[in-house]
Amino acid sequence: LFMHQYELLKHILTPANIKLVGKRLIAYLKGDFPVDQRLLNGEVFSTMAMAYLISGQFEKLEGPLGESFIKAIRLRWSAQFNEDTSIQEIAERFQDYSPEQIDGVINTIKGKMFEIMVTEQENLDEDQWSAVMHTDESFPGSDIIFINEETSEQIEVSLKAISIDNTAIIEQALSKYPDTPIMTTDEVASLYKDAPRVFGSGVL
């Protein structure tokens, strides 16, 4: 079991991942990464958080981002993990995964954390709009519903927390669901200035 955990951690904490985390944190501290620390890029945090989870360093998952990480797991795998499932039990489940499976898990968590962050940001900005995530994880086309509290207008939006080298996902969504707006990272949205249905989140 120890050797399996070691291999998982070695796979997660690669030099590239560690370098990415370091660069993002340095950029944030220098003021070059203009987001609220509470919403610090789920792409960075989810990788490190998985390493903490698998290694049993649960105290490092305390705080708003750690809570979002665990909440993302509970929501995405609601059939396996409910509110009564301990973090220890969640960790033990993922310790059985292969490194390749863990990669997929981390990407899934990133996406769900993005949904949580966008929802919380919209519901805390004190305007007339609120946001609700779909409870059905397999709901087609969109991930979140924006609701105007004054007019009852509803807008379904697809969320894509992707990197700039993975824009094929945006292209596929535009083709498959041409009437559904897409909210993505600000970096990716900057590539779609001529596509009015693609816009940035202001979160990542």
Side-chain angles (χ1 to χ4, degrees):
L1 178 60
F2 173 79
M3 289 304 298
H4 181 67
Q5 290 182 28
Y6 173 76
E7 289 299 322
L8 284 178
L9 292 172
K10 186 172 70 172
H11 181 77
I12 295 171
L13 299 178
T14 62
N17 282 341
I18 293 172
K19 184 178 181 180
L20 174 63
V21 172
K23 286 175 65 178
R24 292 289 174 85
L25 289 176
I26 290 171
Y28 174 77
L29 292 173
K30 286 183 176 179
D32 298 329
F33 197 63
V35 296
D36 186 270
Q37 186 173 14
R38 184 179 63 85
L39 300 175
L40 184 60
N41 201 329
E43 176 186 355
V44 173
F45 183 81
S46 56
T47 300
M48 299 303 295
M50 181 56 71
Y52 295 146
L53 181 66
I54 289 174
S55 63
Q57 300 181 66
F58 306 138
E59 72 282 357
K60 293 185 178 180
L61 296 175
E62 296 175 357
L65 274 176
E67 291 174 4
S68 291
F69 175 79
I70 297 299
K71 182 178 180 179
I73 292 174
R74 294 188 193 279
L75 289 175
R76 187 61 184 82
W77 289 276
S78 58
Q80 301 177 44
F81 309 122
N82 56 41
E83 291 300 322
D84 296 325
T85 306
S86 68
I87 296 181
Q88 177 68 49
E89 290 175 295
I90 294 173
E92 289 173 355
R93 180 60 182 267
F94 287 130
Q95 285 166 1
D96 292 333
Y97 280 40
S98 69
E100 291 73 24
Q101 288 175 311
I102 287 294
D103 277 343
V105 167
I106 290 173
N107 284 329
T108 299
I109 292 172
K110 288 177 188 177
K112 199 64 186 179
M113 284 187 71
F114 188 49
E115 292 180 33
I116 293 169
M117 290 175 179
V118 169
T119 300
E120 290 182 348
Q121 176 177 264
E122 183 55 53
N123 291 336
L124 290 172
D125 64 7
E126 298 184 350
D127 64 9
Q128 71 269 30
W129 290 89
S130 62
V132 179
M133 291 184 290
H134 288 302
T135 55
D136 181 359
E137 291 295 329
S138 62
F139 192 90
S142 64
D143 302 292
I144 193 170
I145 304 173
F146 288 91
I147 303 169
N148 189 309
E149 303 295 344
E150 296 180 358
T151 66
S152 298
E153 178 186 5
Q154 296 188 9
I155 302 175
E156 293 192 16
V157 175
S158 174
L159 302 182
K160 304 295 181 188
I162 61 174
S163 61
I164 204 164
D165 58 351
N166 200 19
T167 55
I169 292 176
I170 299 287
E171 306 295 339
Q172 291 168 3
L174 286 170
S175 176
K176 189 172 183 180
Y177 302 103
D179 298 323
T180 304
I182 297 172
M183 179 184 288
T184 185
T185 61
D186 291 345
E187 181 183 37
V188 172
S190 68
L191 302 177
Y192 291 87
K193 294 179 180 179
D194 296 328
R197 289 194 300 106
V198 180
F199 57 99
S201 66
V203 175
L204 303 182

